[in-house]
Amino acid sequence: MPRGGKRCRPGLNHLAFHVEDRTAVDALATEAVHHGWHLMFADRHPHAGGAGHCAAYLENDDGFEVELVAIDATPDA
């Protein structure tokens, strides 16, 4: 499935993982691009899920998506 895959098709949309805090979200997102992952919604990172939600949304070339969610969502921690 190409980047920007078919999100509305039946099946698994994405997996979400909890990470410690905003620092971990940013560090993992930065490292992920060196392993074939692309930051989604870069213009709204890390609050693409809303003001109270701190996460990185990543997609690889096969269309798999992961969400790295900060457990401690203190703004700009």
Side-chain angles (χ1 to χ4, degrees), residues 2 5 8 11-13 25 33 35 55 57-59 61 70 73:
C8 295
L12 183 65
N13 178 289
V25 167
V33 300
H35 300 279
Y57 294 87
L58 302 162
E59 179 182 38
D61 288 333

Side-chain angles (χ1 to χ4, degrees), residues 4 9 11 13-14 17 20 23-26 28 32 38-39 46-47 52 54 57 61 63 65 69-72 77:
R9 291 178 60 184
N13 178 289
H14 75 275
F17 299 94
E20 186 174 350
T23 301
V25 167
D26 290 339
L28 289 166
H38 313 278
L39 185 62
H47 302 292
C54 181
Y57 294 87
D61 288 333
E65 296 177 21
V69 183
I71 294 170
D72 176 3

